[in-house]
Amino acid sequence: NQTITLSMEDEVLKKYAGQCGYTPQRLGEGKKLWEKAEQARYKQLTKRAEQITATRTYYELKEKAHATYLHIIQTCRLAFVNDPALQFKLELKGKRKHDHGGWTSQTNYFYNTILSLPDAMARLANYNVSREDLEAGKRELYETIEASAQKLNAIAESQRATDWRNRALKELRE
């Protein structure tokens, strides 16, 4: 960009640029394309940084929510060890799902179900798990779901910015 600006302002450089086919009009167009490419590059870097931040936030929130969920699940397994029907209803046996969709569905089902069972919550209170603890776990789940949506949005914005940058650089090269 500095070379283009100097070639447009300095009379000696302007003369040499003209001899190479770079007219003041062509230099002006080149400068505009350069500025557009720089703008696209900075936007892409900004959007990429936002994507990284959103992704990190999502994984931090999911890790916290999952730890809370597992703690409560383990406590429920102890509290309801002699109640196979409740174990089945709360899906306490078996593996926990790890993919985002499966995890959110399984976790949401658990919290909604346990919060609708006053007798089960009363039994959990004997293990120092209160309704507030369950509701806090459910809030952590919803924060994770929201962070996932923000992460996906940030990925899409970053990709759009990358596409714009690539088009601007291609236009500059042509």
Side-chain angles (χ1 to χ4, degrees), residues 57-66 100 103-104 137-151:
T57 299
Y58 163 74
Y59 282 111
E60 288 170 356
L61 288 172
K62 184 174 181 188
E63 185 177 328
K64 182 181 177 198
H66 189 63
H100 179 74
W103 179 80
T104 56
K138 188 174 180 178
R139 276 192 306 277
E140 288 176 3
L141 166 66
Y142 289 157
E143 288 170 3
T144 303
I145 292 168
E146 177 63 28
S148 175
Q150 290 173 356
K151 176 186 76 141

Side-chain angles (χ1 to χ4, degrees), residues 18-123:
Q19 290 173 353
C20 295
Y22 292 102
T23 65
Q25 179 184 353
R26 188 167 179 208
L27 288 171
E29 290 170 5
K31 185 175 180 180
K32 286 180 186 174
L33 290 173
W34 180 271
E35 289 168 352
K36 179 181 175 183
E38 278 293 298
Q39 205 176 29
R41 180 177 160 266
Y42 288 124
K43 182 172 183 167
Q44 190 272 335
L45 290 173
T46 301
K47 292 301 179 182
R48 178 71 174 123
E50 290 172 5
Q51 174 192 347
I52 290 167
T53 300
T55 299
R56 182 177 297 130
T57 299
Y58 163 74
Y59 282 111
E60 288 170 356
L61 288 172
K62 184 174 181 188
E63 185 177 328
K64 182 181 177 198
H66 189 63
T68 300
Y69 171 63
L70 288 181
H71 171 73
I72 293 172
I73 287 289
Q74 290 166 350
T75 305
C76 285
R77 287 176 178 160
L78 288 173
F80 310 133
V81 70
N82 294 321
D83 192 340
L86 190 54
Q87 288 178 14
F88 181 79
K89 185 172 191 163
L90 294 173
E91 298 180 346
L92 297 178
K93 295 191 178 210
K95 294 183 178 183
R96 303 293 99 195
K97 296 184 179 178
H98 295 284
D99 65 284
H100 179 74
W103 179 80
T104 56
S105 176
Q106 186 177 50
T107 306
N108 193 45
Y109 171 81
F110 169 77
Y111 283 123
N112 286 336
T113 304
I114 192 81
L115 286 165
S116 71
L117 301 170
D119 291 342
M121 285 191 300
R123 287 165 56 190

